[in-house]
Amino acid sequence: MALVGRAAEQETVGRLLASARLGRGGSLVVAGDPGVGKTSLLEDALEVSASVDAVRVLSVTPAEVEQDLPFAALHALLLPALPLLDDIPAPQAAELGAALSVRRGGGRDRFAIGAATLSLLSRYAEDGPVVVVLDDVQWADRPSVDALAFAARRVRDDPVAVLVAGRSGELPEPVHGLPVLELAGLTLDAAAELLAATDPDGSARTLDALYRETQGNPLALLELAGEPEDGAAVGAADVELPHTLPARVQGAFARRLDTLTAPERAVTLVAALSGGDLRLTRAACRRLDLDPAGLDGPTRSGVLTVRQGRVMFRHPLLRSVVYGDSDEGLRRTAHRALAAELHDVDADRHAWHLAAATTGLDEDVAALLDALAARSAARSAAHTVASTALERAARLSPAPEAARSRLVASARAAWSGGLPARALALLDQAEPRGTPPSASGAELRATIAVRSGSVRDGLDLLEQAAALAPVDERVLLLAEATRACMYLVDTTALRRVEARVAAVLPHVADPVSRAVGLAASGTTGVLLGRDSTSRLRDAVALLADVDPLVHPAALPWLMLAPLFLRDARSGAELRALVDQVRSQVGVGALPDVLFHVARDQATTSAWDRAAANYDESARLARETGQGGALAMALAGLAWLESREGRSAACRAHAADASVLCRDRSMHFGEIWCELALGDLALSEGGSDEAATRFLDLTARLEQLGVRDPDLHPGPELVDALLRTGRVAAAHEVADRFVAAAEASGRPWTRGRADRALGLVAPEDAFEVHFRSALGRHGETRDLFERARTQLAYGMRLRRAGRRVDARPHLRTALTTFDDLGAVRWAANARTELEATGEKVPPRGDVGREALTPQELQVCLLLVDGRTTREAAAALFLSPKTVEYHLRKVYTRLGIHSRDELAVVLRGTG
């Protein structure tokens, strides 16, 4: 029967399907109250798709009883495409195969399954357009929803349309942010048309009263049309009526069950608990001495249908009514029969049914749920299912300590599954506020706070957890506390944490814990203005032997240790190690990894790669809800864009980052933003603005007690003060900065200090300082700082009347700035060089600047030798999206091959 009153909604869905047939994919969530017609709209869409020969449909309607079975819905959905599993990148095939229990292995990260789902859908769509339909999403298992939602956001360049339907107010979090079509009730005219089409003899109810009661809900209209009038509502136009499916409709469903005999109702209950599996229903009925032919009665009464080995209820509400309307003892008996039938067939479903049949405390059943949770987590991080299993196991645990431990484990699984609110609620049950926490519980609270809440709260909790943990674990917790102190720029807390690290380090036996502890200690020394290079070098040597995939606590320190050393000799092995593992790190950890990689690249010549990695870090941080990582990625972008001279982008990103940082008391990111904006003003000739910003920042650093000269704008402030005629103030700033730099012992810092001295020194002494600075810069990887010194040196030589001596320094500075893409600093160097009388040819356009960060990231991977599928897998895109970006790049740059692309990108580091 044709849909009634849904022309606009059909057009919306039709546009999505037509776009997919033309090669441009998309997604749509159809939301509405139960019975409003979501399934009918999807069925209409499938009927339209079926009329197009090349279109194939992947469809599933989850059963409520299977919502705790990891990847049950995804397996049913992707089943027709699984023969193509080996056509996607091998690591993704292994992850998805393990998740769907068709292969062994896998289990790193829940996002990897989403990437694999995207790849498989993209491959399946190479043979023709695909329509993916997930109905009743509120009852699908969370890991399946995670994976499909991840893919749905990225199919825009593939002939794939993803349709998801679910109840308003019950849509799971992963589908939030996808386009939504909200279905309301039918209009009065459409309701009349529906009733006339389905009941030509007329309804037993007056249309107006029926419409007021149902608000145009089609299912409610049809179910209540034959019911006797409720006198209380007759003509009551001013009665406050509900806007959701009335409870009376459930009553109408329940009355359908009144026509069934007790055995028929029992068989119907078993079918409801069996998830529609006809074979399992019959087997369980035999165990209960029930005749499976009892399904005939509910079939005749319209409660359900049996088709192709499946038992399908007329409406999802009917399944709920059957369960809720049955005797509690009968429900437990049915669960027990199903558990027995599944004992040697499906360990997960066996455990769930046995748990549902158990009312008292039972350690044996709790242990089964423990094992189920372990399997769920191992199957590619189905953490949400593991969390539910562990929570149920805790409820069944006879021993209080076991119950507490399982609740904490459930909370950890919820956090890993992306459910911080649920994790905190479980922690509150396990360890109520005000009671002594366990080390694991306190550590988890701290992690949640640092990543998604208050860094200050996270620091407090990390210190609490460290006090309860054994020595080796304590060092790792205190190292994280060091990072929290760094982002907070809390020097008082940093000294306190430093003392605790120093006290425990001599007693650490584990080499990984020792390496991380040394790195944290060395970093602390830098932040407090001390020379801690020896500790950092020792940490770098030890970290080179650490596998960060096995020891994820060490991963950030692989980049932080060489970053804080800031020299050309240290950290090459660690950079290579991070480069090897970054493609294997789950999406949840990637924002932090990419941020540190980008920061390292931004201090070298690889600015293009740094921009691409900062952008990717920010994109993934937004998607995974990591506000702290997003704040730092945006601050890093602003800092880099300042050097590149991208004024609008720098100011926009600095503004966004500053808001995020202030909300989290992350003063470190705010400092970066102020450094970026001050230096941008200086490069643009805004000396007064630059001086004001740098002076304000200096005062704030003093207020915060910051002694790290690398966070101080000393040389830049000296430059700005000299340009504005404040010579005495410039001398004072230079002297203070030099003292701090000498104490640090690092060549990068001392090179900047020498530049500051060269700027303020008298005419007969400035050269020695600039030469010293260039020598220091030669010990580092930072070409930009070296070019800044060469520019300043050349400017002083020219102003001293030594134009010929100035030219080599200015030429080198100009070349470096041009190669890096520091356009405003290059313009300054070009102006100075021309002032010496040298004619400077205009710079040729290399074309890289025309690319967006994501286009650049795609191109760099392809030039590095990745295939299209490998590049897509690395960036969590579909191959079609990679091809789309590559076509745009070729057109924009006027090239036709990867070899030509490599020439254009030469020099990206």
Side-chain angles (χ1 to χ4, degrees):
M1 183 182 76
L3 283 180
V4 174
R6 296 299 188 199
E9 291 87 348
Q10 287 173 289
E11 182 179 350
T12 298
V13 177
R15 282 198 301 269
L16 175 65
L17 300 183
S19 178
R21 290 196 295 272
L22 294 174
R24 191 71 172 168
S27 58
L28 183 67
V29 177
V30 180
D33 295 332
V36 80
K38 302 182 294 295
T39 299
S40 297
L41 185 62
L42 295 185
E43 289 175 347
D44 178 76
L46 295 183
E47 187 175 334
V48 172
S49 297
S51 66
V52 181
D53 293 339
V55 175
R56 290 166 299 161
V57 175
L58 300 174
S59 178
V60 66
T61 300
E64 186 176 6
V65 295
E66 294 182 348
Q67 61 185 334
D68 291 324
L69 298 176
F71 300 108
L74 190 66
H75 185 277
L77 188 71
L78 296 181
L79 191 59
L82 288 182
L84 300 174
L85 192 59
D86 286 328
D87 288 358
I88 69 175
Q92 291 187 347
E95 292 287 343
L96 185 57
L100 304 183
S101 295
V102 297
R103 294 188 180 176
R104 295 184 180 276
R108 278 195 304 274
D109 190 275
R110 64 191 176 104
F111 292 98
I113 307 307
T117 299
L118 172 66
S119 293
L120 188 60
L121 289 176
S122 178
R123 171 61 187 90
Y124 194 60
E126 289 180 9
D127 300 324
V130 174
V131 178
V132 180
V133 178
L134 173 60
D135 200 358
D136 284 334
V137 66
Q138 73 277 355
W139 287 336
D141 62 279
R142 175 63 182 265
S144 291
V145 180
D146 277 330
L148 185 61
F150 187 96
R153 291 187 174 89
R154 294 166 170 79
V155 294
R156 60 184 179 276
D157 298 308
D158 295 88
V160 177
V162 179
L163 288 168
V164 177
R167 294 180 181 177
S168 297
E170 298 181 40
L171 297 175
E173 186 274 335
V175 303
H176 294 176
L178 295 178
V180 177
L181 173 63
E182 189 76 33
L183 284 192
L186 299 176
T187 65
L188 181 61
D189 290 342
E193 183 182 349
L194 175 65
L195 292 174
T198 55
D199 187 9
D201 296 331
S203 167
R205 309 283 300 277
T206 61
L207 178 60
D208 286 347
L210 188 59
Y211 187 78
R212 283 198 307 272
E213 185 171 354
T214 63
Q215 292 293 301
N217 184 288
L219 180 66
L221 284 166
L222 296 174
E223 289 296 330
L224 296 184
E227 294 289 314
E229 196 92 53
D230 184 346
V234 174
D238 58 344
V239 173
E240 185 69 27
L241 296 170
H243 293 276
T244 58
L245 189 65
R248 287 191 57 206
V249 175
Q250 297 193 46
F253 280 140
R255 281 189 287 277
R256 287 180 181 270
L257 303 181
D258 291 341
T259 64
L260 304 180
T261 65
E264 287 173 338
R265 293 184 68 147
V267 172
T268 306
L269 172 64
V270 174
L273 296 178
S274 299
D277 186 331
L278 180 59
R279 186 208 62 78
L280 182 59
T281 298
R282 287 173 170 164
C285 283
R286 284 192 291 269
R287 285 183 177 272
L288 296 170
D289 293 327
L290 293 170
D291 185 355
L295 289 174
D296 294 343
T299 301
R300 286 191 302 271
S301 65
V303 173
L304 52 80
T305 58
V306 178
R307 187 168 60 246
Q308 296 179 339
R310 304 291 298 175
V311 181
M312 305 177 67
F313 285 82
R314 179 171 181 240
H315 190 276
L317 279 176
L318 264 173
R319 190 188 297 118
S320 300
V321 171
V322 166
Y323 189 78
D325 205 48
S326 61
D327 175 74
E328 186 177 344
L330 179 60
R331 287 202 298 266
R332 289 199 299 272
T333 301
H335 277 299
R336 195 170 294 111
L338 288 164
E341 189 63 32
L342 292 165
H343 185 275
D344 297 320
V345 178
D346 189 324
D348 289 355
R349 294 169 75 190
H350 165 73
W352 281 124
H353 282 294
L354 198 58
T358 304
T359 56
L361 301 179
D362 192 319
E363 178 59 29
D364 290 339
V365 179
L368 286 176
L369 291 170
D370 270 348
L372 186 157
R375 288 192 298 273
S376 297
R379 285 174 61 190
S380 303
H383 296 295
T384 51
V385 174
S387 176
T388 303
L390 288 164
E391 182 185 13
R392 178 63 175 151
R395 305 282 180 253
L396 296 175
S397 300
E401 181 57 29
R404 186 205 60 76
S405 177
R406 283 166 172 152
L407 278 175
V408 172
S410 175
R412 188 174 299 281
W415 165 247
S416 298
L419 302 174
R422 170 174 164 78
L424 289 172
L426 288 164
L427 281 174
D428 286 341
Q429 293 177 43
E431 300 173 354
R433 305 261 181 179
T435 61
S438 64
S440 58
E443 182 271 333
L444 179 56
R445 282 191 192 276
T447 300
I448 296 171
V450 170
R451 299 282 182 86
S452 60
S454 163
V455 180
R456 173 68 62 191
D457 291 345
L459 172 60
D460 294 341
L461 290 165
L462 282 166
E463 291 191 79
Q464 291 177 33
L468 301 167
V471 170
D472 290 341
E473 186 181 341
R474 189 182 311 163
V475 168
L476 299 178
L477 292 167
L478 291 173
E480 279 303 296
T482 298
R483 286 220 295 161
C485 291
M486 178 180 73
Y487 290 129
L488 291 167
V489 193
D490 186 338
T491 53
T492 301
L494 192 59
R495 289 187 179 90
R496 182 176 66 244
V497 173
E498 179 194 33
R500 296 182 65 184
V501 172
V504 76
L505 256 181
H507 308 289
V508 171
D510 177 60
V512 175
S513 296
R514 179 160 184 78
V516 170
L518 283 171
S521 177
T523 300
T524 300
V526 171
L527 293 169
L528 294 176
R530 304 187 194 123
D531 183 356
S532 57
T533 53
S534 61
R535 289 215 157 196
L536 286 169
R537 291 193 196 286
D538 290 344
V540 166
L542 289 173
L543 286 167
D545 296 325
V546 174
D547 184 346
L549 294 178
V550 177
H551 304 285
L555 185 56
W557 300 101
L558 265 63
M559 294 307 302
L560 281 171
L563 269 171
F564 274 79
L565 272 173
R566 286 184 176 275
D567 65 26
R569 295 172 295 163
S570 304
E573 301 91 342
L574 300 189
R575 293 182 180 96
L577 185 57
V578 172
D579 195 53
Q580 290 171 21
V581 304
R582 60 181 284 189
S583 62
Q584 303 173 56
V585 173
V587 177
L590 262 180
D592 195 45
V593 173
L594 290 172
F595 164 73
H596 288 117
V597 170
R599 177 59 179 170
D600 184 63
Q601 291 167 334
T603 61
T604 68
S605 61
W607 284 13
D608 292 316
R609 290 179 182 266
N613 282 322
Y614 273 138
D615 183 75
E616 185 75 358
S617 174
R619 183 173 70 86
L620 292 174
R622 282 192 184 94
E623 193 158 306
T624 54
Q626 299 184 47
L630 174 60
M632 291 308 300
L634 293 178
L637 263 177
W639 184 89
L640 180 59
E641 288 159 348
S642 169
R643 294 186 163 199
E644 292 175 318
R646 300 177 60 199
S647 305
C650 172
R651 291 188 172 93
H653 285 137
D656 291 343
S658 295
V659 171
L660 289 168
C661 288
R662 279 194 296 271
D663 289 346
R664 292 163 175 78
S665 300
M666 294 173 63
H667 301 309
F668 199 83
E670 290 184 84
I671 291 169
W672 272 18
C673 291
E674 285 304 309
L675 286 169
L677 293 172
D679 215 31
L680 179 66
L682 192 62
S683 71
E684 294 175 333
S687 304
D688 286 321
E689 179 190 346
T692 299
R693 284 189 179 277
F694 288 145
L695 285 169
D696 289 345
L697 178 56
T698 300
R700 189 172 185 195
L701 292 172
E702 287 294 324
Q703 181 183 17
L704 292 169
V706 175
R707 297 290 177 264
D708 179 7
D710 293 348
L711 287 176
H712 198 288
E716 294 78 21
L717 177 55
V718 168
D719 194 355
L721 290 171
L722 289 174
R723 295 187 191 199
T724 56
R726 287 175 273 186
V727 178
H731 277 275
E732 184 181 345
V733 170
D735 290 341
R736 285 204 307 268
F737 186 81
V738 168
E742 288 299 320
S744 77
R746 295 188 308 282
W748 188 86
T749 313
R750 295 171 73 180
R752 295 176 70 232
D754 284 334
R755 181 167 80 236
L757 288 176
L759 287 169
V760 298
E763 293 297 320
D764 60 351
F766 71 82
E767 281 195 272
V768 66
H769 296 299
F770 280 121
R771 287 171 182 162
S772 176
L774 291 175
R776 306 279 192 198
H777 290 316
E779 300 177 48
T780 75
R781 305 166 72 229
D782 197 330
L783 300 183
F784 178 78
E785 287 294 337
R786 185 186 308 173
R788 287 280 290 267
T789 296
Q790 287 167 327
L791 173 60
Y793 191 6
M795 289 172 66
R796 286 224 61 179
L797 287 168
R798 184 184 72 80
R799 283 161 176 72
R802 298 167 58 185
R803 292 184 298 170
V804 174
D805 293 337
R807 286 171 186 163
H809 298 292
L810 293 173
R811 283 193 211 107
T812 304
L814 174 59
T815 300
T816 301
F817 288 140
D818 273 343
D819 288 345
L820 289 172
V823 293
R824 294 190 183 277
W825 288 106
N828 292 334
R830 187 173 284 106
T831 299
E832 286 291 327
L833 188 54
E834 288 174 343
T836 67
E838 182 164 316
K839 184 173 179 59
V840 184
R843 183 193 179 209
D845 185 10
V846 299
R848 300 197 302 266
E849 295 80 359
L851 306 184
T852 68
Q854 190 166 83
E855 289 169 348
L856 179 62
Q857 189 80 300
V858 166
C859 293
L860 290 172
L861 288 172
L862 295 175
V863 167
D864 282 345
R866 307 278 186 104
T867 66
T868 299
R869 291 193 187 280
E870 289 170 343
L875 295 175
F876 303 100
L877 302 171
S878 79
K880 290 286 187 184
T881 301
V882 170
E883 292 170 0
Y884 171 74
H885 284 312
L886 190 60
R887 287 196 302 271
K888 286 175 61 181
V889 168
Y890 280 2
T891 301
R892 195 175 302 148
L893 300 182
I895 59 177
H896 304 88
S897 70
R898 294 191 186 184
D899 289 341
E900 292 178 88
L901 181 62
V903 172
V904 171
L905 296 183
R906 186 174 296 144
T908 56

